[in-house]
Amino acid sequence: MCGRPALLENVSLVFKLYCLTVMTLVAATYTVALRYTRTVETELYFSTTAVCVAEVIKLFLSVGILAKETGSLTKLITSLKENVFGSAKELLKLSVPSVVYALQNNMAFMALSNLDAAVYQVTYQLKIPCTALCTVLMLNRTLSKLQWFSVFMLCGGVTLVQWEPAQATKVQVEQNPWLGFGAIAVAVFCSGFAGVYFEKVLKSSDTSLWVRNIQLYLSGIVVNLFVVYISDGAKILEKGFFYGYTYYVWFVVFLASVGGLYTSVVVKYTDNIMKGFSAAAAIVLSTVASVILFGLQI
């Protein structure tokens, strides 16, 4: 691929593999845990609030890492004033993927409420050809024949999974597979576009990754609070913002937060296509877990 900054060449292969491995493990665990909280537990929490809380945690973690990067509280405050609060244009620029990511995350909750975790994982990999297309169109890159072949082989696998989806036997809530696949279709498009857009912003300047994350998460919190109000405002007033939250739900929120941070690192130092294929490796892990936890029949 062409057009990569020299910064990427200075990052060791070991570090890249470490980030990809952690992201894969987190993605597999997150999918299974989220599926568990949306199908096995009887008192369902509001998925919109979980997405919002995850954005808040990612914001605080990013500020903490930026503080360590800058080395002092004074430099941290100066950096935030110059790059975040004093740059409305940059905040507006990052509000675009924030809106799209918010939609994607909420679609993921909807999909996992109606589809088995393994089916979701494989079907969601359609984001790879979508990401590849966005990469070619938005970043002016070219993909090799082998890369395109790999992308379409993955699409073939997705088709086979949907041909006759396996059913889980321990799910206690009514499901709508068509609604689940529709939600995945929206999430796939959002993932491809927002991922490549964010990669373009990250690699178009020397601005710190954690400054960019803070800009992204600030916009994301505003967007998600609006989604919370529109979707579940009345119910939250009646039952409370954290209704239905258990230790498992907090674990899901934690995984979403950590996964989001590692995803940004992977996008910065590799690219979105590599990120997508690493996520595909999580399919095997989530399938095994679905057999054990949900009685999935392959």
Side-chain angles (χ1 to χ4, degrees), residues 14 29 60 71 80 84 88 90 101 133 144 164 175-176 191 195 203 211 221 229 234 243 258-259 262 275:
V14 174
T29 308
F60 279 106
L80 291 176
V84 181
E90 294 300 314
Y101 276 134
L133 183 61
S144 68
E164 189 176 354
Q175 299 178 97
N176 184 339
S191 176
K203 296 177 179 178
V211 168
I221 291 170
Y229 174 77
Y243 172 79
V258 173
Y262 270 96
K275 180 194 76 174

Side-chain angles (χ1 to χ4, degrees), residues 72-280:
S72 70
L73 181 60
T74 303
K75 291 181 180 179
L76 171 64
I77 294 174
T78 301
S79 179
L80 291 176
K81 283 182 178 179
E82 291 179 357
N83 299 302
V84 181
F85 301 110
S87 182
K89 182 181 178 181
E90 294 300 314
L91 276 176
L92 185 62
K93 185 188 297 184
L94 270 297
S95 67
V96 175
S98 294
V99 172
V100 181
Y101 276 134
L103 180 59
Q104 174 195 334
N105 290 332
N106 284 283
M107 288 297 102
F109 274 92
M110 182 181 296
L112 279 166
S113 298
N114 291 280
L115 296 172
D116 184 80
V119 176
Y120 165 85
Q121 275 280 43
V122 178
T123 309
Y124 192 47
Q125 300 316 308
L126 280 169
K127 66 184 180 180
I128 295 180
C130 183
T131 300
L133 183 61
C134 289
T135 297
V136 171
L137 295 177
M138 296 171 63
L139 299 180
N140 297 318
R141 290 183 184 165
T142 56
L143 303 183
S144 68
K145 292 181 180 179
L146 180 60
Q147 287 174 314
W148 280 116
F149 177 75
S150 301
V151 165
F152 286 108
M153 281 290 289
L154 183 58
C155 288
V158 170
T159 302
L160 290 176
V161 168
Q162 293 190 51
W163 186 262
E164 189 176 354
Q167 298 295 320
T169 59
K170 297 181 183 179
V171 176
Q172 300 177 4
V173 297
E174 185 178 350
Q175 299 178 97
N176 184 339
W178 288 109
L179 180 61
F181 285 125
I184 281 187
V186 176
V188 161
F189 175 78
C190 290
S191 176
F193 172 79
V196 174
Y197 182 98
F198 188 49
E199 180 182 350
K200 187 173 183 178
V201 172
L202 283 179
K203 296 177 179 178
S204 62
S205 71
D206 295 329
T207 304
S208 167
L209 168 64
W210 305 110
V211 168
R212 290 300 191 191
N213 275 341
I214 291 169
Q215 293 169 340
L216 179 68
Y217 300 143
L218 276 175
S219 302
I221 291 170
V222 174
V223 171
N224 279 289
L225 284 174
F226 178 74
V227 173
V228 168
Y229 174 77
I230 295 296
S231 301
D232 301 307
K235 295 179 182 178
I236 290 173
L237 285 176
E238 177 186 350
K239 298 181 178 180
F241 191 88
F242 296 105
Y243 172 79
Y245 274 57
T246 63
Y247 290 116
Y248 292 112
V249 176
W250 281 110
F251 182 57
V252 167
V253 171
F254 170 76
L255 289 175
S257 304
V258 173
L261 293 180
Y262 270 96
T263 297
S264 64
V265 174
V266 168
V267 169
K268 175 73 172 180
Y269 296 114
T270 61
D271 57 44
N272 273 281
I273 297 177
M274 184 66 73
K275 180 194 76 174
F277 273 97
S278 73

